Amino acid sequence: MKTKKNKLTDSFQLLNPTERLINKKKAEMMGKANRGNLDMLIHELHVYQVELEIQNEELKRAKKEIEISRNKYADLYDFSPIGYFTFDQEGFIQEVNLAASKILRINRDFLIHKMFHIYIVPEFWDDFNDFLKETMQSDVKQTCEIQMLNKDGEVFHAQLEGIKISGNGNNPDCFRAALIDITDRKIAEKALKKNTHELLFNKKLLERKSLELAQVFIQLAKSERDLRELNVNKDKFFAIIAHDLRNPFSVMLGLTNILVNDYEQMDKRQVLEIHQKLDLTVNRVYSLLNNLLKWSVIQFGKIDYKPEEINLNELIVESLKLLQHYAENKQITVKTTVDENIAVVADKNMLESVIQNLITNAIKFTAIGGDVRIEATEKEKFTKISVLDTGEGLDKKTLINLFRIDKKNSTNGTSNESGTGLGLILCKELIEIQGGKIWAESEPGKGGKFSFTLPKSDEIPKITKELKAKINKKTI
């Protein structure tokens, strides 16, 4: 604030124009007096005296209003709830109000002419210097945030909002800054940041847990499906044992009873017929038991998968030798058109089981005198093998359920051969384990075509890795 000496100086500056006016008028009146117009001079002096008195009154009134205004400004400045400092261009304190001294806990008389930097944490001196420079070079408000020290050495966060005050000839430029203690705000911001971080962490944790829970639900659903499938397989297994094994044994018991009780009354032809029936029945039981054993091994994850490169034609020829007697009994011609150079990657035992089951199935449902053909076609990454017959064919409903264990697909052959339907299901399991696919094409009265695929020899590394995972999934 300005001192009393400055206030008197302002008052004298207001009086100077009036004095100059009086001196001017005096000079004019002296000129007129020299011309002898004394009366007029006296009159004008009287008028100027009145004007001077009026101006003097106006000057007193203006002075009083200025004093009132200055007092009001001083009250507003001193008793403002916001701390204010007035700085010179070097950052020395010129004025300070009560609120600012209270924030620093220092008497304001002690603060006058002190360098503001001594109350700033050293790490923030550069920030204040930049603020000081920018404020003095701009006509708009500047802001900065710093950390300060009060009288007790306690650090607090402060915000400065400053604006330049232009000076005159006697008073250089300075700037005034509002000082706001923002410690509570900074604490709140820090707490908010921490809470936000914790919320984000908890959100990610919740998302991860939700994902894990979803995966658990998926696994539970899969386990439920696997359990249902296991129950279906178990039921099918026991049904086969209870029905399809009992019937052949009943036949064998009946035939052996005839041999034991009526052998002496039978001729050689009758004995041969019974022996042939026994041989056929025993072979069927053996085939059924063999399929059951292989299927159960797959279900319990005990299968030993050993892929190797196999000459397809050689394996088919070996399988046909085993089935030649069955085909000849029905006068069915079985031939292969598979190229001798075609090689596939497969487990030899598995592939033999698939080939023998499909050929046996084709012979079973082909009428006497019919034909069965095996062919193979090489594709880019796999080989397609097909077994075709001239049998009765299948309708659409049967085709859809052909490879499902939960559906009954057992029908008698053209010579009333019985079956369980397990052979095709076993083929499906064995082919899928080796990375292939199996399907059937047929129409009633037009025979059937059963096809499956196997990887070519150059696909073995990739297929082996994939199939190990598939085999592991079969474990119950």
Side-chain angles (χ1 to χ4, degrees), residues 272-338:
L272 179 61
E273 287 179 357
I274 291 176
H275 284 162
Q276 289 174 339
K277 289 179 181 179
L278 280 173
D279 179 68
L280 180 62
T281 303
V282 169
N283 281 314
R284 288 174 184 169
V285 171
Y286 175 78
S287 176
L288 173 59
L289 287 174
N290 194 36
N291 282 340
L292 279 173
L293 178 61
K294 291 179 180 179
W295 178 73
S296 63
V297 166
I298 293 173
Q299 299 308 305
F300 286 93
K302 303 297 184 181
I303 192 165
D304 188 15
Y305 174 67
K306 295 179 179 179
E308 59 181 292
E309 186 172 305
I310 300 170
N311 184 290
L312 184 60
N313 185 66
E314 290 179 1
L315 185 139
I316 291 172
V317 170
E318 290 298 321
S319 296
L320 290 178
K321 290 179 182 179
L322 298 175
L323 300 170
Q324 184 177 358
H325 179 67
Y326 182 28
E328 288 175 350
N329 284 341
K330 295 187 70 172
Q331 301 175 20
I332 292 174
T333 302
V334 182
K335 63 180 180 179
T336 174
T337 61
V338 177

Side-chain angles (χ1 to χ4, degrees), residues 65-82:
E65 289 176 355
I66 290 172
E67 289 296 329
I68 293 172
S69 178
R70 283 181 174 176
N71 290 334
K72 287 182 178 179
Y73 165 76
D75 289 342
L76 288 174
Y77 183 84
D78 284 340
F79 298 106
S80 171
I82 297 176

Side-chain angles (χ1 to χ4, degrees), residues 238-252:
F238 285 122
I240 292 170
I241 293 175
H243 180 268
D244 296 308
L245 276 180
R246 183 184 62 184
N247 287 346
F249 275 105
S250 297
V251 172
M252 286 189 291

Side-chain angles (χ1 to χ4, degrees), residues 7 12 38 43 50 96 102 146 151 205 233 246 253 272 296 346 392 396 411 422 429 439 473:
K7 294 178 181 179
F12 287 139
L38 186 59
H43 176 70
V50 172
V96 58
K102 185 177 180 180
I146 57 176
K151 181 182 178 182
L205 182 62
N233 293 347
R246 183 184 62 184
L253 286 172
L272 179 61
S296 63
E392 299 174 344
K396 289 183 178 180
T411 55
L422 185 62
E429 296 274 6
W439 67 96
K473 289 182 180 179

